[in-house]
Amino acid sequence: MYQYTDHDRAFVQHRVEEFREQVKQFNNGKIDEDEFKQLRLRNGLYQQRHAHMLRVAIPYGVLSSRQLRQLAYIADKYDKGYGHFTTRQNIQYNWPELNDVPDILQDLAEVDMHAIQTSGNCIRNTTTDPLAGAVADEIEDPRPWCELIRQWSTLHPEFNWLPRKFKIAVTGSINDRAAVQVHDIGLRLTRNEHSELGFEVLVGGGLGRTPMIGSIVNAFLPAQHLLTYLNAILRVYNRLGRRDNLYKARIKILVNAMGIDAFKDAVDTEWNASKHHDDTFTTADIELLKAQFSNDLPTANTESSTETTHLNDADVPKQIHSNPFFNQWFKSNTREHKLSGRRIVFVSLKSSDAPAGDASATQMRAIADLADVYSFGEIRTTHEQNLVLPHVAMSQLYHLWSALKQNQLATANIGKLSDMIVCPGLDFCSLANAGTISIYDQINQRFDDIDYQHELGNISIKISGCMNACGHHHVGDIGILGVEKNGAEWYQLTLGGHAGNKAAIGSRLGKAIAKAQVADAVERILQTYLAHRDEAETFHDTVTRIGVDPFKENVYAAAA
Amino acid sequence: MPLLLKNNSYATDDWVHLSDDDALSQHATVSMKRFGSTEDARNTIKGVRIAPDDNPLDLVDFLVHLKLLVIEFPAFTDGRGYSHARTLRQQLNHTGEIRATGDIRAEQIAFMRRCGIDTFELNRVFDNDQVLLMSQPYPHSYQPSYMQ
């Protein structure tokens, strides 16, 4: 993974000292509320319902075990002993005190971490496929490009005061696990007919109040022009994006208003005038970055422990046949690795004991230790609020599973019903209209049978507490949106959303459903699916085939 | 209004900023709209004010005659002027003085300088604490600078 240079360290250190001074000036009344708000947001610090919330950057979802241990330390020292992994691969602390934040940032700086630009109207964390560098279906590892974008976007002097936040996602695989179609800029690594590397560039995707799938603004951008082209898009957005209405200020609104052709013309005009100036980079630059990521994994199929039992490296572990629980976990929580003899392992943060995506400091330390033993000290965060150990030896899987189980991290539910995406909701967030964690609990209680979940196959429930859609409800198989009606919490359901290659916005099912009725509604939806599905058809495919009406009929049938 | 210079010292601003109705005079600026719409203005005026929704490229034929460009920042959160400055330096190769005016906060000075802005018309003099922060720039940056 990327190793900070002395320059990088000095930069982050300066940021910490700058913010410490800004907090002091704010406390002394030298900086007003409005100004301090903008400064603290650009260091990830929100004011929330009960307390401040600090969002720490995990660039493109890559963490070292050392960093994860420090995140655990911070959770214990300054917070309530846990952290929350987010839908943009970052981590959030819900209870920091303002005057502790400079010290928290200093502790983060010790392990080459920061909270720069995780909020505010600027370029946010660039996210990517959590399986990058480990998975077989990859055209090119996206992470060196993410690191390039990270550096380009960090305190870019021109783009720190945009009309609104700006989110970039990159995928290097033919299967999009980074939701690039619902980002302000989505980048798909690709090769042309001459095998040259480039990007398909999407623009104007996003969720929130006006969900939209991104449009192709450039079908093949040669890779060496990545930064100059991004510059051109950002400059057009900075100049022309709406600033009169907070809810109409994202780039998707601009692209929609101009039309993709006119928008593309504007970008190309800007790009042609500037492509040989700013932000060019050399082949040597990118090759240096690539080398940092390709060193993560030994090329030989070596073991990382002194396991004496010799197995054929390509075999599945023998416990597959003898232990049905391990078998179940292997099926749902592990994925094929590009190297035979290794396996990608998901660490489920969706046990029913805690809110989705939360990990205690104890769990974080356990995962860090397991990463050292089993995964070359590397962990990934996913935008679905789970973690990944990317490079586990096949012969070590059973040991790892046993250890994960002891820490409530082995719920065999990745991609299944209880692997829900859940925003913090009314319990934490001052923007929310309704609680979400209680809905997650309600659904978990109703459907606690893991065998049934496996029987259902892959299905995604995504829950947002308000129209800002941080829970990505628009792109869930079942989307649940909290709304406020007459002072009570109600829930609007959508069906048929999808975040991957064939991205789609879900369709509204019908009238909002009362809080106590949500699990019932979900149960009826699942009954309808099981009644109609063709053999091993996924929920997504059944909905695509039969439409929303059969589900609607069943859900609202007994309402009278 | 205090005018902040390159070395963080202050001077007094001797340019006059004319409204769209004021009589034209020499050492003065007018809005870009007025500059573009009156030949008189183009013949007399040596300074132009660029509003956030103006396009600096419209000045391409006139830059050589202008002594001062003023980029307006009506709200400190309105970042359009940063792009204007960079376009002037990068695309139009302008080397004359570019000034920022409006709601400018101390921590924005370094960024504006890197976009190519030379001087700053402030609402008030920054106090010592703010100047201290301002005079300690980042040890390095990830993007090229257009500081003149």
Side-chain angles (χ1 to χ4, degrees), chain A residues 313-333:
Chain A
D313 285 334
D315 279 350
V316 296
K318 64 179 188 309
Q319 297 87 350
I320 274 281
H321 308 296
S322 57
N323 188 323
F325 298 106
F326 173 71
N327 184 316
Q328 197 175 57
W329 174 86
F330 180 90
K331 284 206 176 88
S332 58
N333 290 28

Side-chain angles (χ1 to χ4, degrees), chain A residues 33 39 60 63 82 104 115 132 137 156 166 179 249 283 306 320 329 408 465 470 485 491 531-532 546:
Chain A
E33 285 271 2
L39 297 177
Y60 44 91
L63 269 179
Y82 72 95
I104 297 174
D137 65 358
H156 196 301
F166 205 90
T283 309
T306 53
I320 274 281
W329 174 86
Q408 290 82 49
C470 301
K485 233 165 67 160
Y491 297 85
H532 283 95
I546 71 175

Side-chain angles (χ1 to χ4, degrees), chain B residues 51-65:
Chain B
D53 58 358
D54 286 331
N55 188 345
L57 293 174
D58 293 344
L59 290 172
V60 61
D61 296 327
F62 307 101
L63 285 177
V64 66
H65 307 295

Side-chain angles (χ1 to χ4, degrees), chain A residues 264-399:
Chain A
K264 182 179 159 65
D265 282 343
V267 172
D268 284 341
T269 304
E270 182 57 53
W271 187 47
N272 286 326
S274 61
K275 69 160 73 135
H276 300 295
H277 298 276
D278 287 345
D279 304 319
T280 52
F281 58 92
T282 64
T283 309
D285 292 331
I286 191 65
E287 290 305 317
L288 269 177
L289 282 179
K290 283 188 193 178
Q292 296 218 27
F293 292 94
S294 60
N295 288 339
D296 294 342
L297 195 61
T299 45
N301 206 357
T302 53
E303 297 298 316
S304 62
S305 77
T306 53
E307 174 67 26
T308 51
T309 312
H310 182 71
L311 293 168
N312 180 338
D313 285 334
D315 279 350
V316 296
K318 64 179 188 309
Q319 297 87 350
I320 274 281
H321 308 296
S322 57
N323 188 323
F325 298 106
F326 173 71
N327 184 316
Q328 197 175 57
W329 174 86
F330 180 90
K331 284 206 176 88
S332 58
N333 290 28
T334 75
R335 296 284 179 278
E336 194 184 329
H337 194 281
K338 66 183 181 189
L339 296 179
S340 71
R342 291 210 178 262
R343 198 83 182 159
I344 295 169
V345 173
F346 279 80
V347 177
S348 174
L349 298 182
K350 312 288 176 72
S351 78
S352 48
D353 320 309
D358 281 10
S360 68
T362 306
Q363 286 175 317
M364 289 188 222
R365 277 187 288 270
I367 296 164
D369 290 344
L370 292 171
D372 280 337
V373 175
Y374 297 110
S375 188
F376 304 101
E378 188 172 338
I379 303 108
R380 308 287 177 79
T381 59
T382 86
H383 79 266
E384 291 165 324
Q385 303 171 310
N386 291 307
L387 302 178
V388 170
L389 296 174
H391 308 300
V392 182
M394 197 68 89
S395 58
Q396 300 300 315
L397 281 177
Y398 185 76
H399 300 288

